[in-house]
Amino acid sequence: MILGLETSCDDTSVAIVDGAGHVLAQVSANQDTQHRPFGGVVPEVASRQHTENLIPIIEQAMSEAKASWSSIEAIAVTSRPGLIGSLLVGVVTAKALSMAKKIPIVDVNHIEGHLLASLLRDSTYAPPDGFDFPYVGLAVSGGHSHLFEVRGPGKYRLLGKTIDDAAGEAFDKFAKMLRLGFPGGVAVDRLAQTGNPKAYKFPRPLIHENNLDFSFSGLKTAALREIEKTPPAELDSRKADLAASYQEAIVDVLINKLVKAARGLNIKRWTITGGVSANSSLRSQAEAAAKKEGALLAMPPLRYCTDNAAMIAYAGLLKFRAGLVADQELSPSSSSLPDDWLNS
Ligand code: KG4
Ligand code: ZN
């Protein structure tokens, strides 16, 4: 069994997976209530919450999985990228447990976790039959929008990423403009369902550029301009159309680049993970695009899409098997390391 710890941002999560990638337990604590009054994640608040929550959650996960310390072969921990104070809580806890219980540590890149999440299994989820390496992985959340060629464990080639805001950030900032609450992605998704996606012509940044990068800040500015132009008395009746049009612009760009990457590599296996993969329009458009391209699409349930420790434990399992263990020198890093991604 592998114990996984995830504290890179504002979710404290602990999971235990077995050697076949079955999730035996996953316990998470969400901090939205603590951050909501500030309209965004406050790093100081996040690390304090992790400090309070992590040990009780580890105990709960161990008990749910009926695991004893002697059955834990490795402790996988997210050590990068993320908020440094938040990462530190997970890394220090992993090192302390490793020393006390004499269990090796495996350090995991958080994005690597998102890329491997589709391979997890539990009583109601398994990847589609035939889904295996290599595949194209789109990781879209509040902190990242990255497109990868996933060749195998530890072998990820970065194809493109956002040059400014992440997709989730674009949703959250738009929600803030319309005072829809925090985090805003779900609220925009819900509102968009009653709106007309063709009502506004928002830009699709970089969609026709010959690269696989994303950019969402111009879209955000275009939306702000439309909102400012709308007479306050009419804003309520325009919100759903604004949300639907804005959401469609983001989804169009994401799907367009995913398809472009997959065609270029001639890979017919795709995965989409990260909090934004909860978006109903992204899900349905991805399914339609996969069908059209004859591709196998793995979109795990939300519990493995938003920040979670099962994906970290699973990445840890694959690295542990490959002999890639860390030691007490391990320290967190707010960004990914140069060796995390293949160059060619
Ligand atoms: O993966 P995640 O839980 O945490 C990060 O690593 O950021 O992703 C959270 C992000 C937030 O920006 C949230 O607004 C967005 O995912 N999100 C959504 C939806 N549900 C969550 N965005 C669009 N539509 C949704 N249904
Ligand atoms: Zn994430």
Side-chain angles (χ1 to χ4, degrees):
M1 292 180 195
I2 308 286
L3 173 70
L5 310 181
E6 158 62 40
T7 65
S8 68
C9 187
D10 60 335
D11 291 295
T12 317
S13 184
V14 176
I16 295 166
V17 302
D18 70 11
H22 285 105
V23 183
L24 304 177
Q26 176 168 268
V27 184
S28 306
N30 175 286
Q31 305 177 1
D32 285 351
T33 327
Q34 281 79 16
H35 299 291
R36 190 163 291 125
F38 305 99
V41 176
V42 183
E44 190 66 19
V45 174
S47 25
R48 278 171 195 271
Q49 288 293 314
H50 289 311
T51 309
E52 280 177 28
N53 293 338
L54 188 54
I55 300 287
I57 291 181
I58 293 174
E59 283 167 353
Q60 194 183 334
M62 293 285 288
S63 136
E64 280 184 21
K66 299 189 176 51
S68 61
W69 285 106
S70 61
S71 60
I72 302 292
E73 278 185 275
I75 301 169
V77 63
T78 308
S79 68
R80 60 194 184 280
L83 299 172
I84 199 74
S86 290
L87 289 164
L88 198 56
V89 179
V91 168
V92 164
T93 305
K95 290 206 295 194
L97 285 171
S98 164
M99 193 181 266
K101 309 287 185 190
K102 309 216 168 4
I103 301 172
I105 316 175
V106 183
D107 62 310
V108 174
N109 179 305
H110 177 84
I111 300 170
E112 168 181 29
H114 277 304
L115 293 173
L116 298 173
S118 47
L119 299 172
L120 286 164
R121 289 165 187 273
D122 64 19
S123 57
T124 58
Y125 172 76
D129 280 346
F131 191 85
D132 204 347
F133 303 114
Y135 53 83
V136 176
L138 175 67
V140 271
S141 72
H144 19 81
S145 298
H146 287 61
L147 197 50
F148 279 91
E149 177 190 357
V150 183
R151 291 189 189 153
K155 296 202 174 82
Y156 320 102
R157 188 163 73 92
L158 181 60
L159 303 169
K161 61 177 179 164
T162 180
I163 57 169
D164 40 57
D165 294 344
E169 210 177 340
F171 273 106
D172 293 340
K173 287 180 176 169
F174 176 78
K176 210 169 180 175
M177 292 178 211
L178 288 182
R179 299 199 169 78
L180 300 176
F182 170 84
V186 190
V188 177
D189 191 354
R190 205 174 302 129
L191 192 60
Q193 283 166 23
T194 59
N196 172 9
K198 310 279 178 239
Y200 292 88
K201 261 196 153 0
F202 285 130
R204 269 75 170 148
L206 305 188
I207 201 163
H208 297 302
E209 301 275 317
N210 193 22
N211 62 37
L212 296 167
D213 289 330
F214 307 101
S215 161
F216 296 109
S217 79
L219 170 64
K220 186 185 64 191
T221 312
L224 181 62
R225 237 178 264 132
E226 281 299 341
I227 293 169
E228 284 171 351
K229 252 178 26 197
T230 310
E234 281 174 31
L235 194 58
D236 261 355
S237 64
R238 305 299 308 150
K239 273 184 179 174
D241 284 351
L242 281 163
S245 307
Y246 186 84
Q247 173 174 282
E248 192 176 79
I250 295 180
V251 171
D252 264 7
V253 176
L254 294 176
I255 300 287
N256 183 286
K257 296 274 169 155
L258 172 61
V259 171
K260 195 184 276 185
R263 280 188 189 161
L265 294 163
N266 195 23
I267 294 180
K268 291 193 183 290
R269 285 183 292 262
W270 311 348
T271 185
I272 307 180
T273 55
V276 178
S277 68
N279 187 266
S280 53
S281 167
L282 180 61
R283 287 202 165 231
S284 59
Q285 296 222 29
E287 273 160 17
K291 204 166 161 201
K292 195 163 153 241
E293 299 287 316
L296 206 50
L297 174 65
M299 276 197 290
L302 214 54
R303 58 186 176 281
Y304 306 136
C305 272
T306 57
D307 286 352
N308 69 86
M311 66 183 192
I312 302 304
Y314 186 67
L317 168 71
L318 299 186
K319 291 183 90 166
F320 180 63
R321 281 198 182 136
L324 300 170
V325 294
D327 56 28
Q328 290 290 330
E329 298 293 305
L330 178 67
S331 57
S333 159
S334 58
S335 47
S336 294
L337 301 176
D339 286 349
D340 285 342
W341 318 133
L342 299 171
N343 289 318
S344 57

